[in-house]
Amino acid sequence: MRASRLVRTALAALFLAAAAPALHGQTWVGWSFYWENDTWVPPAVGSDDAFTNGIRIVLGRSIGAPLPGAGFWADRFTRENDFDVTSSLVLGQNFFTPRTITRYTPDPADRPYAGFSYLGMRYDATRRLHLVNQVPAPNQRQSQHSLEWNLGVLGQGAAGRKFQAAVHSVITTHRVPKGWSHQISNSLGASALYMYRSRWVRSAWDVTLHGGGMLGTTQTYPAAGLTLRVGKGLSGFPGVIGRNTAVATQSRHAVEFGLAAGAEGRFMLHNAFVEGALGARGSPGVEATGWLGDYRLGAFVRILDARVDYYFVRRSPEVASAGPSFESYDNYGSLSVSYEPGSETLESLALSDFFAETLPSWFDGFFLEVGFGYEIGPDEPGTAATHVMHGAVGRRLWRDLDIGIERSGLGREFGPARSTFEPHADRMLYTTAAILRYRPFGGRFGPFDVHVRGGVGAGILGGTNETELTYRRLPTGCPDADFVLDAAESVLEDTYCNRLESGTSTLFGGGLSWRPVGDELGINLDVVRVDVGAGAYPSFTGWSVGMRWTPNEW
């Protein structure tokens, strides 16, 4: 189930990336989106604890329009005249949780809740390869020097609780995290990362050695590692989160694919995500291990400018003190989607016209939205907290009318159970609906556009209403046949019983998007009214704030 979903997601992401417009000669010339999460691995090896989510967006600048500071980096390497220096803007969020996420008061012997949201700038100096017939010749060595500065916030300001609670309420629909109020203290997160990589290129394989380190309030460590890739048309450096530029600077083959395996070792001098915020009194935390290792196994494919990488990652234990996370390995998946403009020999690709011309035209008028927010006026007694998530994808149907699919949902938390042996209830309401969106007067009012929308969910798009009951170490199972047991990960953890009801859902809403720079990226404010058509209190009204991406306009 999860494997097939991963394949569908990767293929869809590849097609969307291939549909991106040619940006040669423009200020922004490429992008990469990284998502690391336990959802991307089989349930038998994944878990919701430790490193549970990482999202990273890298927007590449053209060589002729670098970010501030790129000139200093260029001066270090352009004296030999065989380096290309590129710069990128970086936006990301990471968060970490203890082993059990459904306790309102986490175990003080376990690792703490920790979130980090950041903005940064990255500079890469990449040595050019020698070309034969406009493609890289085999048997070469390529090197790259990278420097990245990140500045952000650790703690409540990182919004880790809102993101995880909304995703668990609307996508995974179980185990809403309860202990985020006990996360590490709010503090400034600042770091500098330097990495040197050297790649030995052969005709059907390459090996990359890397070394460097990070210095900062989040983590401080030296690191070294290697990656081996086997495949066809290998270009660039292996796709690993936090290590790659979004700008391709070399000619290459039209198609690239293969397998990869790698490892990285770090000696952790400071790890705020385990030990707590640096210098903050009263910040929760436990003793962190010194040596830390990541082991990766994955696959990659690139067609023209579109690239997808997937890695299964196993991380060695991060906690050195006795407790629930002691000697516990962490497994998660890393998925990255990139658009890397470059030069290819199209004659080597039989379907070059399809990928270069036909496919991009399918995505004219394409839109993608995502947002997070709260319920407006909760009407269910006992509601202690709410989490709204909204996501939509579609394209222009005719003039000012769009067609698409939307997932909107709400999670309601009812607070702690009255006793240890009673369950607490979380109610999730969500719909996956086919929608029509109308943008009056073309939707554009200067830097703003507006829309109204409506939709119906039926059959496999039906709305649902799910209640999760958490039983404290009771071996008796679920209360009746309507509930489904979600087994605990160990005998010391809780047992989860889920009940699912489905019906025909309706959705109505509207949105305002502010696009201050260009037409592609906007900041959204959305309001939605959903009736899932099942269960008690089946409707909700919510608002969300998020992003809207429209790469191609008609």
Side-chain angles (χ1 to χ4, degrees), residues 297-321:
L297 182 64
F300 55 91
V301 60
R302 180 179 56 77
I303 300 176
L304 300 182
D305 297 335
R307 173 171 167 169
V308 174
D309 296 78
Y310 171 78
Y311 286 91
F312 169 80
V313 183
R314 182 170 175 82
R315 177 166 293 174
S316 67
E318 294 185 85
V319 176
S321 56

Side-chain angles (χ1 to χ4, degrees), residues 482-503:
D482 294 332
F483 285 77
V484 178
L485 177 66
D486 187 0
E489 295 178 0
S490 78
V491 295
L492 297 179
E493 295 179 3
D494 301 336
T495 300
Y496 304 87
C497 299
N498 297 313
R499 179 174 60 193
L500 184 67
E501 301 176 45
S502 61

Side-chain angles (χ1 to χ4, degrees), residues 406 431-435 454-463 503-507 531-532:
E406 177 170 333
T431 178
T432 306
I435 60 169
V456 176
I460 61 172
L461 300 178
T504 300
S505 62
T506 57
L507 179 153
D531 188 320
V532 300

Side-chain angles (χ1 to χ4, degrees), residues 178-196:
K178 304 299 182 185
W180 273 103
S181 58
H182 297 270
Q183 67 177 297
I184 63 176
S185 301
N186 267 326
S187 63
L188 178 69
S191 64
L193 170 71
Y194 168 77
M195 191 64 60
Y196 171 76

Side-chain angles (χ1 to χ4, degrees), residues 15 18 303-304 349-362:
F15 288 155
I303 300 176
L304 300 182
L349 182 62
L351 297 178
S352 60
D353 290 339
F354 173 77
F355 284 101
E357 299 177 10
T358 304
L359 182 60
S361 69
W362 292 357

Side-chain angles (χ1 to χ4, degrees), residues 310-469:
Y310 171 78
Y311 286 91
F312 169 80
V313 183
R314 182 170 175 82
R315 177 166 293 174
S316 67
E318 294 185 85
V319 176
S321 56
S325 297
F326 179 59
E327 296 185 343
S328 175
Y329 282 80
D330 186 22
N331 302 317
Y332 58 90
S334 174
L335 177 69
S336 67
V337 182
S338 303
Y339 169 66
E340 301 175 342
S343 300
E344 296 89 6
T345 306
L346 295 181
E347 290 77 8
S348 63
L349 182 62
L351 297 178
S352 60
D353 290 339
F354 173 77
F355 284 101
E357 299 177 10
T358 304
L359 182 60
S361 69
W362 292 357
F363 291 91
D364 286 340
F366 168 83
F367 69 86
L368 177 67
E369 293 180 355
V370 64
F372 300 89
Y374 296 91
E375 184 175 11
I376 300 174
D379 58 358
E380 186 164 3
T383 300
T386 63
H387 314 282
V388 167
M389 183 177 177
H390 144 258
V393 61
R395 63 156 292 165
R396 193 78 48 84
L397 179 63
W398 178 74
R399 298 188 65 178
D400 300 329
L401 191 64
D402 302 336
I403 188 169
I405 297 175
E406 177 170 333
R407 181 77 170 251
S408 287
L410 165 76
R412 291 192 182 117
E413 297 184 44
F414 296 101
R418 291 173 296 179
S419 70
T420 302
F421 296 101
E422 290 188 17
H424 71 256
D426 296 325
R427 198 178 314 282
M428 296 84 162
L429 297 85
Y430 63 88
T431 178
T432 306
I435 60 169
L436 289 175
R437 299 161 38 116
Y438 176 65
R439 297 175 298 117
F441 309 108
R444 294 308 300 271
F445 299 93
F448 299 94
D449 68 44
V450 297
H451 78 266
V452 293
R453 67 188 186 277
V456 176
I460 61 172
L461 300 178
T464 60
N465 174 30
E466 182 172 354
T467 300
E468 173 192 70
L469 300 179

Side-chain angles (χ1 to χ4, degrees), residues 76-373:
R76 310 277 75 79
F77 302 102
T78 54
R79 288 169 292 185
E80 300 178 47
N81 296 319
D82 60 351
F83 277 90
D84 288 313
V85 177
T86 56
S87 55
S88 304
L89 185 68
V90 180
L91 178 68
Q93 182 190 60
N94 297 331
F95 54 84
F96 305 76
T97 62
R99 185 163 180 82
T100 301
I101 65 172
T102 52
R103 294 177 181 171
Y104 285 85
T105 302
D107 188 339
D110 203 354
R111 66 179 302 157
Y113 285 86
F116 177 46
S117 295
Y118 61 91
L119 181 69
M121 290 187 289
R122 180 181 180 86
Y123 315 104
D124 295 277
T126 307
R127 186 183 295 274
R128 302 187 194 100
L129 289 174
H130 176 63
L131 303 181
V132 175
N133 295 326
Q134 298 184 341
V135 296
N139 303 322
Q140 298 188 70
R141 187 178 74 87
Q142 186 179 29
S143 59
Q144 183 183 73
H145 299 263
S146 302
L147 179 67
E148 182 175 321
W149 302 90
N150 289 323
L151 185 65
V153 59
L154 283 160
Q156 295 281 2
R161 179 182 187 273
K162 168 55 61 179
F163 185 93
Q164 190 181 29
V167 169
H168 278 219
S169 296
V170 180
I171 297 180
T172 61
T173 60
H174 75 149
R175 304 191 187 188
V176 177
K178 304 299 182 185
W180 273 103
S181 58
H182 297 270
Q183 67 177 297
I184 63 176
S185 301
N186 267 326
S187 63
L188 178 69
S191 64
L193 170 71
Y194 168 77
M195 191 64 60
Y196 171 76
R197 297 196 287 182
S198 183
R199 183 170 76 102
W200 279 265
V201 185
R202 297 297 181 263
S203 58
W205 61 274
D206 67 10
V207 60
T208 301
L209 301 179
H210 68 267
M214 177 179 286
L215 176 65
T217 62
T218 55
Q219 292 181 320
T220 297
Y221 59 81
L226 62 84
T227 302
L228 173 66
R229 298 190 299 180
V230 178
K232 179 185 182 298
L234 303 179
S235 69
F237 287 86
V240 181
I241 194 167
R243 304 289 193 267
N244 276 45
T245 177
V247 183
T249 59
Q250 64 180 47
S251 298
R252 64 233 175 148
H253 295 280
V255 176
E256 171 184 351
F257 58 87
L259 302 174
E264 178 177 289
R266 310 181 196 122
F267 183 71
M268 306 301 297
L269 301 173
H270 169 63
N271 190 349
F273 307 122
V274 175
E275 300 169 316
L278 188 65
R281 295 183 178 180
S283 180
V286 294
E287 183 183 357
T289 57
W291 291 102
L292 186 65
D294 281 356
Y295 313 96
R296 302 183 300 273
L297 182 64
F300 55 91
V301 60
R302 180 179 56 77
I303 300 176
L304 300 182
D305 297 335
R307 173 171 167 169
V308 174
D309 296 78
Y310 171 78
Y311 286 91
F312 169 80
V313 183
R314 182 170 175 82
R315 177 166 293 174
S316 67
E318 294 185 85
V319 176
S321 56
S325 297
F326 179 59
E327 296 185 343
S328 175
Y329 282 80
D330 186 22
N331 302 317
Y332 58 90
S334 174
L335 177 69
S336 67
V337 182
S338 303
Y339 169 66
E340 301 175 342
S343 300
E344 296 89 6
T345 306
L346 295 181
E347 290 77 8
S348 63
L349 182 62
L351 297 178
S352 60
D353 290 339
F354 173 77
F355 284 101
E357 299 177 10
T358 304
L359 182 60
S361 69
W362 292 357
F363 291 91
D364 286 340
F366 168 83
F367 69 86
L368 177 67
E369 293 180 355
V370 64
F372 300 89

